[in-house]
């Protein structure tokens, strides 16, 4: 562990994970915190509740497909959805830099209100802090959220043959921020930022065939697959040619020499489905998300490797993100 | 409304309140948000749940009596306590500036762990973001919290003759930060930052005589009394000589010409108690908080004035904080 915080401690990859374990878990770790992925799950009276938090520091704060306000609501709603919960109540807390335009704050607040109404979730608690000019970058937004876990969703261990589905094209949010930072404005590259609640509702009772879910945000698809393989003590094979990817996103990564598998989505869900149920579940999802695809299979593997099988039959081992691609994508 | 955010939009006084109404309520307001004071209260299954959030940007991050970590846990625990709830689960989210010393982060995490163990609350969800050097001021911490409201606590309308209790000496947290900013290091001036859960537990069934509670943080005692007078359409008379205040705190304010009634506490509760029950409740609180005192009475007053009666019989009208005393006290 280095003596000082580096940007890569915030990229959602290897160094973030080490910092969390070696500093935070060390001092205030507990079973619920350490086993929670997208949200903590606990009983509260007669309900199974999901609880999650995220701070948003994305730069730029307005981007193609959204802004920091839309992202802040979707991020927390999606963490609840990935925990199989119906999102009910959000809190939000603003840290605003002195001199920030109130007109811009209004735009952001409007985005938040629009998504809340669309999802049917309410912001019920808030806080506003202001720091002197030079001590923030416009504004930072935290959202925390509470949801009730759907009864049909029972998370359980992954087994050999379980099928892996992604609900749409990958890497669009991260690639949009990457393009903006490099000054590539391209109308075809647009963040996928959107609430995932509808997919969960649409699956309804069929959620009983889903064993695990997550949303591939910071660190991208490669990182979340590796983390889940590690957690479940299983391997995975991912078929490269089945990965849905927008051709403009693909092209930009080819130009820059970056790997879209490490770039965040903000409106996609990865589902691990009982062996034999993949086609049925994927077809259901395709009714509302046309690009959903089965992208691979869980396999037994003591080394917990996630292998990417290329179209010509080669295999590459995927790892979690080792160093930040670009900071502050969410 | 000015065109840009000013520091006074974050002081918890008049401008914060205007910003919240004119920007946030306008776009995502709802009944729960607008009527919530320290925490939102709603039913979740068979439980009455309290939910709250706060971001902490205090500067300096280490101060006499605490640090940003202790403050972040106490702040949220105390908002839940002020809502009459037993704090159960917290989330925390860090925004850290590149280059921040990991040794200092450890100290802060240790403070958070210590207070959590003392209170019996668990941090179950977290998030870590890093921003480039120059885009934060060391670190900012958000905590959100969930608690279950005690059955014996039934908030209700204030009436003429209800008694007002404060659980200890006022203004110590805000004054400690003020002293540090002015370079007055004084071993007698120390933040009162501490968790309030014990007072609520100690009151137990006697909470049935308490009609309203709040913790006088940003804006200080004057601001919260005025807000509650406004909300309940009542006036108040506060006896200046009954206000518990540490002599060194008093002296510092006399030197600087500031008013301690506008300075934050971070370990005090204000209780509004049924007429005739004040002495009994105050005696109970004094068993664990020796400086607790009855400081005044609720009166009928269409103008909703909070009057401060001076020892020689004069009266001054208190208002909510009009302009920041010092920024970033919490």
């Amino acid at each position: 562990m280095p003596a000082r915080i580096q940007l890569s401690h915030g990229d959602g990859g290897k160094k973030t994970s080490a910092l969390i374990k070696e500093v935070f878990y060390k001092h205030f770790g507990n079973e619920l915190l350490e086993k929670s992925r997208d949200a903590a799950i606990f009983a509260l009276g007669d309900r199974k509740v999901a609880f999650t938090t995220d701070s948003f520091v994305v730069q730029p704060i307005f981007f193609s497909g959204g802004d920091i306000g839309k992202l802040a609501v979707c991020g927390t709603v999606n963490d609840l959805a990935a925990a199989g919960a119906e999102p009910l109540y959000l809190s939000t807390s603003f840290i605003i830099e002195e001199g920030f335009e109130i007109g811009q704050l209004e735009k952001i607040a409007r985005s938040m209100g629009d998504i809340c109404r669309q999802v049917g979730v309410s912001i019920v608690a808030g806080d506003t802090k202001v720091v002197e000019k030079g001590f923030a970058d416009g504004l930072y937004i935290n959202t925390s959220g509470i949801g009730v876990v759907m009864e049909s969703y029972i998370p359980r261990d992954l087994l050999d043959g379980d099928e892996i589905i992604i609900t749409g094209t990958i890497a669009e949010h991260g690639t949009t921020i990457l393009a903006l930072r490099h000054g590539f404005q391209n109308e075809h590259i647009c963040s996928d930022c959107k609430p995932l609640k509808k997919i969960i509702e649409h699956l309804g009772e069929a959620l009983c065939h889903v064993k695990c879910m997550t949303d591939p945000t910071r660190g991208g698809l490669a990182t979340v697959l590796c983390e889940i393989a590690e957690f479940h003590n299983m391997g995975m094979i991912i078929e490269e040619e089945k990965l849905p990817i927008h051709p403009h996103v693909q092209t930009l990564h080819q130009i820059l020499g970056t790997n879209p598998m490490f770039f965040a989505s903000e409106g996609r869900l990865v589902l691990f489905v009982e062996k034999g149920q993949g086609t049925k579940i994927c077809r259901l999802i395709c009714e509302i998300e046309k690009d959903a695809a089965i992208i691979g299979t869980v396999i037994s593997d003591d080394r917990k490797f996630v292998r990417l099988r290329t179209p010509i039959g080669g295999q590459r081992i995927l790892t979690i993100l080792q160093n930040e691609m670009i900071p502050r994508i969410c």
Side-chain angles (χ1 to χ4, degrees), chain A residues 31-280:
Chain A
E31 203 194 331
L32 269 177
L33 179 66
E34 289 170 40
K35 82 176 184 192
S36 82
R37 214 192 127 68
D38 298 300
I41 309 288
F42 46 82
L44 206 61
D46 58 357
R47 295 296 155 100
K48 203 165 142 192
V49 169
F51 180 35
T52 187
T53 192
D54 261 324
S55 285
F56 295 85
V57 300
V58 65
Q59 182 57 32
I61 55 178
F62 295 94
F63 48 83
S64 172
D67 59 44
I68 191 172
K70 181 181 180 188
L71 190 63
V73 173
C74 291
T76 285
V77 161
N78 292 354
D79 280 345
L80 294 173
E86 185 194 359
L88 294 176
Y89 299 108
L90 302 188
S91 67
T92 188
S93 180
F94 289 79
I95 298 175
I96 316 176
E97 187 183 8
E98 182 187 13
F100 190 72
E101 273 182 40
I102 292 182
Q104 300 231 316
L105 189 62
E106 275 239 32
K107 270 195 204 170
I108 291 162
R110 188 179 300 122
S111 286
M112 296 176 78
D114 288 347
I115 294 290
C116 284
R117 279 181 289 276
Q118 187 184 324
V119 174
V121 72
S122 303
I123 294 173
V124 296
D127 180 48
T128 309
K129 295 291 193 307
V130 178
V131 295
E132 302 91 332
K133 189 140 190 79
F135 289 123
D137 192 8
L139 87 172
Y140 303 139
I141 303 179
N142 176 277
T143 52
S144 300
I146 298 177
V148 170
V149 179
M150 315 262 292
E151 283 177 18
S152 52
Y153 180 54
I154 316 283
R156 59 220 123 115
D157 288 342
L158 298 183
L159 297 174
D160 192 272
D162 287 340
E163 298 173 74
I164 308 169
I165 296 172
I166 187 151
T167 61
T169 45
I170 67 168
E172 283 164 19
H173 177 74
T175 306
T176 302
I177 303 298
L178 175 78
L180 281 166
R181 296 275 182 81
H182 282 82
F184 294 118
Q185 310 291 7
N186 182 326
E187 61 182 305
H188 301 292
I189 296 178
C190 177
S191 172
D192 60 318
C193 175
K194 70 170 177 183
L196 291 171
K197 190 188 171 205
K198 212 186 268 179
I199 296 177
I200 303 295
E201 282 172 352
H202 189 72
L203 284 174
E205 288 304 312
L207 267 180
C208 67
H209 301 299
V210 178
K211 302 170 95 175
C212 175
M213 293 190 281
T214 192
D215 58 335
T217 56
R218 269 189 304 177
L221 182 62
T223 299
V224 301
L225 292 176
C226 290
E227 286 172 350
I228 286 176
E230 178 71 32
F231 186 85
H232 285 268
N233 281 308
M234 297 297 285
M236 295 177 197
I237 293 192
I238 305 297
E239 306 293 343
E240 191 173 28
E241 64 188 340
K242 291 192 182 161
L243 286 175
I245 183 160
H246 191 289
H248 285 85
V249 169
Q250 183 79 284
T251 304
L252 186 73
H253 285 285
Q254 281 165 350
I255 292 169
L256 294 174
T258 42
N259 185 346
M261 291 207 73
F262 291 106
F263 279 75
S265 299
E266 290 289 347
R268 307 291 180 236
L269 201 59
V270 180
L271 301 95
F272 295 83
V273 175
E274 285 167 7
K275 181 179 178 175
Q277 297 290 335
T279 308
K280 178 181 140 191

